Amino acid sequence: MILPGAGETLVAMSPVPLHSQIREILRARILDGSYAPHSQMPSESQMMASFGVSRITIRQALGDLQKEGLIFKVVGKGSFVAKPKAFQNLSRLQGFGEAMAPAGYETFSQLLSARTVAASDTVAGHLRCTPGEEVFEIQRLRYLNREPISVDVSYFPQSLGERLAKEDLARRDIFVILENDFGHPLTHADVQIEAILADELLARQLRITEGSPLLRIERLTYAHDGYREQPIDFEYLYYRGDAFQYRLRIDRT
C-alpha cells in the first residue's frame, strides 16, 4: 500500500487549509492510478501519522473526496477508491471523441449497423419528414479506454446518412465529419436526459448486468443550411450509469 505524504509536503502557513491540501494530494494519487479503482485507501491512523495531522483533518479530506465520488466507505473496513467516471460538459455541443480527447481518453467506435429504415412518428417529427419516409439509421458501440461506454442510435436524412456510412466512423466523430467534410455548420442541439434500466440487448452490448442503470439521452442537432437552421441528426444515446456522467453549469442571472 502506498502511504500518502511521501514526496508531498504540506504547507502549514498556507492560506489553503490542511484538509484541502491533503484532499488534493489524495485526489492526484487516485487520478494518476497510484490508488487503483476498488483498492483500499490507507487507514485514517496511517494518514494521520504520514501527514502529521489530526483525525478530524483527515476525515474532512476524505469527506470531500467522497462527495466528489472519488472514494466510497465501507463500514468497519475503511475507504476504497471508486471507479472514476468520465464526464462530458453539456455547456458545449461536442461529439464524444471531441469531448474525451482533451482529457486524455482513448475513444473509438464499433459500427453495429448502417441501414435505411422507415421513419417512426417520433423520428419523422424531429427530422421534419413524413412518417414512413426513408431515413438512414446508424448504430455504433462507443468505447472509452477500450471499455464499452455507450450505444448510439442516430437518424439522418437518407442521402446524408448514406454519405456518412462511407466515412471512417470507427475513428472519427460524426459532428466533425458533418462540419469539416460535408460543410454543415452545427448550431445547437436540444437534449433530453432520463434514467432507464438496461434491457437484455443493451446489457450484452455494454457488458453489464441486465437491469443496470443507464442514462438515455435524446439529442436533436441542428445545422445552418445557408438560409435557416434545419434538424440534421436525431439520436438516442445509451450511456452506462456506472461509468459516465454529464455535467452542466447553471448561472443564476
Side-chain angles (χ1 to χ4, degrees), residues 6 19 89 118 134 141 148 162-163 178 185 189:
H19 78 272
N89 196 324
E134 289 187 343
L141 180 59
E162 289 179 343
R163 290 180 67 193
L178 289 174

Side-chain angles (χ1 to χ4, degrees), residues 3 14 19 22 28 30 43 53 66 90 105 115 155 174 179 187 198 205 216 222 226-227 229 234 242 248:
L3 291 177
S14 170
H19 78 272
I22 294 170
I30 291 170
S43 68
V53 297
Q66 186 175 18
L90 276 181
Y105 290 105
R115 58 179 184 156
Y155 297 92
I174 283 178
E179 288 196 311
T187 57
Q205 291 170 325
R216 179 179 183 267
Y222 291 78
Y227 300 96
E229 287 185 323
F234 176 64
D242 67 331
L248 176 65

Side-chain angles (χ1 to χ4, degrees), residues 51-242:
F51 284 117
V53 297
S54 66
R55 187 177 300 275
I56 191 170
T57 300
I58 295 299
R59 287 184 173 176
Q60 284 179 300
L62 294 176
D64 287 348
L65 293 174
Q66 186 175 18
K67 289 177 184 176
E68 293 178 32
L70 291 175
I71 67 172
F72 61 94
K73 295 183 178 180
V74 178
V75 177
K77 293 187 177 181
S79 299
F80 293 79
V81 180
K83 182 176 181 179
K85 290 187 178 182
F87 69 90
Q88 184 169 348
N89 196 324
L90 276 181
S91 63
R92 296 185 61 193
L93 178 57
Q94 291 181 302
F96 181 68
E98 286 181 294
M100 295 297 102
Y105 290 105
E106 175 192 5
T107 63
F108 67 92
S109 302
Q110 176 187 349
L111 183 63
L112 298 177
S113 66
R115 58 179 184 156
T116 298
V117 298
S120 67
D121 290 345
T122 299
V123 171
H126 284 93
L127 292 182
R128 300 178 185 173
C129 63
T130 305
E133 183 177 331
E134 289 187 343
V135 294
F136 205 83
E137 177 194 82
I138 295 176
Q139 294 194 26
R140 294 169 295 162
L141 180 59
R142 312 300 298 270
Y143 286 82
L144 184 71
N145 288 351
R146 305 189 182 186
E147 288 190 11
I149 192 76
S150 75
V151 173
D152 296 3
V153 183
S154 307
Y155 297 92
F156 305 91
Q158 176 67 17
S159 59
L160 179 62
E162 289 179 343
R163 290 180 67 193
L164 282 169
K166 299 175 183 177
E167 301 295 326
D168 182 10
L169 299 183
R171 296 292 174 183
R172 303 186 66 200
D173 272 347
I174 283 178
F175 281 2
V176 174
I177 297 171
L178 289 174
E179 288 196 311
N180 296 348
D181 296 12
F182 295 175
H184 295 296
L186 305 182
T187 57
H188 75 282
D190 297 326
V191 178
Q192 179 177 310
I193 303 175
E194 64 179 328
I196 66 168
L197 301 180
D199 60 20
E200 181 182 359
L201 176 59
L202 286 169
R204 184 169 66 251
Q205 291 170 325
L206 294 171
R207 302 178 195 167
I208 55 178
T209 305
E210 185 176 354
S212 295
L214 296 177
L215 290 175
R216 179 179 183 267
I217 295 97
E218 286 188 18
R219 184 168 65 189
L220 177 62
T221 303
Y222 291 78
H224 206 283
D225 66 1
Y227 300 96
R228 61 190 182 280
E229 287 185 323
Q230 293 282 3
I232 195 172
D233 174 9
F234 176 64
E235 53 198 339
Y236 298 104
L237 314 175
Y238 300 91
Y239 279 94
R240 284 174 49 178
D242 67 331

